[in-house]
Amino acid sequence: MYDYLIVGAGLYGAVFAHEAAKAGKKCLVVDKRSHIAGNIYTEEVEGIQVHRYGAHIFHTNNKEVWDYVNRFAVFNRYTNSPVANYKGELYDLPFNMNTFNKMWGVITPAQAQAEIERQRAAHYTAEPKNLEEQAINLVGIDIYEKLIKGYTEKQWGRPCTQLPAFIIQRLPVRLTFDNNYFNALYQGIPVGGYTKLVENLLQGIEVRLGVDYLAQRQSLRPLAETVVFTGPVDAYFDYQLGELQYRSVRFETETLNTPNYQGNAVINYTDAETPFTRIIEHKHFEFGSTEPGTKTVISREYSAEWKRGDEPYYPVNDEKNSRLYEQYKALAEAEPGVLFGGRLGEYKYYDMDKVIETALQRVRAVIA
């Protein structure tokens, strides 16, 4: 009945479906959730576009990808400039001259560089064996202790001494006052939210929501010549080689009777004692907003170890899991009539632009 059955109405599935349909292929998109757009789903609350599954800021250096998404949405010019809160002390992220002035009282880039070098030399490890040693090698002990250690251990649920060094091969250190977090030429958030963008991608394509492909694959698989699967690759194979590890995120979202709660879209809490990793205030993603209304919506994010039944957010790409994924990848490549893609299908942390880029490459390759 269909050329492609696409499992997952997130960004990868929507781009694949759009391009396949444009090429004359008949597509069916199914998703087990009650809505499209996957983890970039946004919904309006009190006139504010709320990112239900955490903050998503689109950024890319790929002009082709930027031009592509602008065909389906108008992007505002939001610039990601998060703030770190360490026990009531506020610091700019990424690490820049404002950060160094607050940390050490230095005024010039030369002074900041000298202090970083002094701390590096005092604690240098020739061959760092873990994330702690690697981070101190890069930025010194003060920044590590205040702005990296607590946040990272909450995010990963493990001491930094038990995390591999390669997780942070490098950290952005800016000897300027630039507080734009991303080194990207293009950046912004769709006006009206990401859900509208995905709606436009899926326009004219049949979508069935509330459909769990893995639970119904016997009846669904015969519907299409090819399946595009964007769910967890280990779940597709019934975890027969063991479970891949993921980190999950729990959100506490509330509407507050104040026009402005924290004055910034993203504030990270980098001390170990605060149980959540950050607070998102959604209205500040709307560039140029003039504090609309008298209310605001905030979300506290709590990182957690994934277990079956939870939503897997990002893979734990350490050596053990990477080896296990290679075994699942071999199974996936040998699976007839099924293409695996996206963050979960490829067990890889992808920014949104890379999701689009890989989806475009895959659909063009199979349709050509």
Side-chain angles (χ1 to χ4, degrees), residues 265-284:
V266 182
I267 295 186
N268 292 357
Y269 286 76
T270 60
D271 61 282
E273 292 76 19
T274 302
F276 46 84
T277 55
R278 61 182 182 173
I279 296 179
I280 304 303
E281 186 168 9
H282 299 269
K283 67 164 47 175
H284 295 304

Side-chain angles (χ1 to χ4, degrees), residues 69-88:
V69 294
N70 275 269
R71 288 162 46 194
F72 305 98
V74 175
F75 280 73
N76 69 21
R77 53 149 294 184
Y78 174 80
T79 299
N80 191 30
S81 302
V83 171
N85 183 322
Y86 177 78
K87 299 182 178 180

Side-chain angles (χ1 to χ4, degrees), residues 78-244:
Y78 174 80
T79 299
N80 191 30
S81 302
V83 171
N85 183 322
Y86 177 78
K87 299 182 178 180
E89 299 174 10
L90 300 179
Y91 295 91
D92 274 6
L93 294 175
F95 313 133
N96 65 13
M97 285 302 298
N98 286 318
T99 313
F100 307 140
N101 175 263
K102 181 72 176 284
M103 187 81 65
W104 302 313
V106 297
I107 303 297
T108 68
Q111 291 171 336
Q113 185 69 56
E115 180 60 24
I116 292 171
E117 292 298 337
R118 185 189 70 80
Q119 293 193 15
R120 282 172 172 165
H123 300 89
Y124 185 75
T125 304
E127 295 183 7
K129 299 179 179 62
N130 55 56
L131 187 147
E132 177 169 290
E133 293 175 350
Q134 175 77 356
I136 294 172
N137 274 9
L138 291 169
V139 293
I141 192 72
D142 289 347
I143 291 175
Y144 169 71
E145 290 285 352
K146 285 192 172 185
L147 303 183
I148 298 173
K149 185 177 189 294
Y151 186 89
T152 302
E153 292 184 347
K154 287 188 291 187
Q155 187 179 35
W156 290 95
R158 294 159 177 80
C160 287
T161 52
Q162 295 179 18
L163 291 168
F166 68 74
I167 289 179
I168 51 166
Q169 294 293 347
R170 55 193 176 90
L171 287 168
V173 175
R174 294 183 181 165
L175 298 175
T176 67
F177 291 89
D178 179 12
N179 67 342
N180 178 2
Y181 188 81
F182 296 121
N183 285 314
L185 184 59
Y186 309 105
Q187 183 175 173
I189 293 175
V191 176
Y194 285 99
T195 304
K196 186 65 178 174
L197 183 153
V198 177
E199 280 179 359
N200 289 337
L201 279 164
L202 292 173
Q203 190 170 12
I205 297 168
E206 183 179 353
V207 178
R208 301 180 191 175
L209 300 174
V211 176
D212 186 340
Y213 175 80
L214 294 181
Q216 304 174 45
R217 76 170 93 187
Q218 284 189 327
S219 60
L220 291 171
R221 179 62 188 90
L223 296 180
E225 180 179 336
T226 303
V227 169
V228 178
F229 187 79
T230 70
V233 62
D234 54 345
Y236 180 92
F237 292 105
D238 296 319
Y239 307 102
Q240 62 183 263
L241 302 175
E243 290 182 356
L244 291 164

